Amino acid sequence: MLEITIPSRGVLNLSHLVLDYNGTLALDGALIEGVGERLRKLAKHLDVHVITADTYGDVEGRLVDLPVTLSTLSDHLQDEAKQRYVRTLSARECVTIGNGRNDALMLAEAVLGVGVMQPEGLSRHALDACDVICPDINSALDLLLKPKRLIATLRN
């Protein structure tokens, strides 16, 4: 568990990190440099989940050495499936990271939703659902590894 106290917001008791794959952890299907190292560190404190439509068909092989739970979605109503996934884990204990329109509901559902603006872009729907926007996935993961950054961004 990761406990982060945000002045005027309260305590976040995070148990789960739920991530989109393509456009978030990966670019054109390949894991972005630095992500694996950060996920290994975060897995010591959080259960790490990757939920994806697996656009390129090889996500399982790309994540095989990482401490993550992988969930592959069908092409139908992915936004609702991601939202349900977060609910089953207890949304009050989840931080989610994504960039696509199909991530918007999970970003809004979680106690903390983080959007990333990378080469694939950030959907307006996802943007509207986020608590925090980061320039890239490594910066987003670093908010959890160095919580004072998150506190500085969210405090009132």
Side-chain angles (χ1 to χ4, degrees):
M1 177 176 282
L2 191 61
E3 184 178 296
I4 304 170
T5 301
I6 311 289
S8 76
R9 181 171 175 168
V11 178
L12 301 178
N13 289 306
L14 304 173
S15 298
H16 304 280
L17 171 59
V18 181
L19 304 135
D20 170 54
Y21 186 72
N22 285 301
T24 302
L25 293 177
L27 178 61
D28 299 328
L31 200 64
I32 293 169
E33 187 175 335
V35 167
E37 171 189 344
R38 285 169 173 85
L39 292 180
R40 284 183 189 90
K41 289 179 184 177
L42 285 166
K44 295 175 184 174
H45 307 284
L46 299 167
D47 292 330
V48 180
H49 306 260
V50 176
I51 186 165
T52 181
D54 195 12
T55 302
Y56 294 91
D58 61 356
V59 70
E60 189 172 338
R62 295 198 183 260
L63 297 176
V64 70
D65 293 329
L66 293 175
V68 303
T69 299
L70 176 62
S71 180
T72 304
L73 302 172
S74 70
D75 287 336
H76 186 66
L77 299 176
Q78 293 175 3
D79 58 346
E80 293 177 14
K82 288 181 177 188
Q83 182 183 41
R84 277 192 307 276
Y85 191 92
V86 169
R87 282 183 181 160
T88 64
L89 297 173
S90 180
R92 295 174 51 95
E93 297 176 1
C94 287
V95 54
T96 56
I97 303 177
N99 75 307
R101 182 176 181 147
N102 66 356
D103 298 325
L105 294 178
M106 81 167 184
L107 290 164
E109 187 74 28
V111 71
L112 179 62
V114 180
V116 291
M117 179 65 161
Q118 301 183 124
E120 191 174 292
L122 176 64
S123 158
R124 178 187 60 81
H125 299 282
L127 173 71
D128 290 343
C130 292
D131 296 293
V132 178
I133 306 299
C134 290
D136 58 71
I137 185 58
N138 288 321
S139 296
L141 296 172
D142 286 347
L143 289 177
L144 301 171
L145 291 168
K146 300 174 184 185
K148 289 189 187 280
R149 293 180 183 181
L150 185 63
I151 292 166
T153 299
L154 292 178
R155 69 178 165 218
N156 187 3

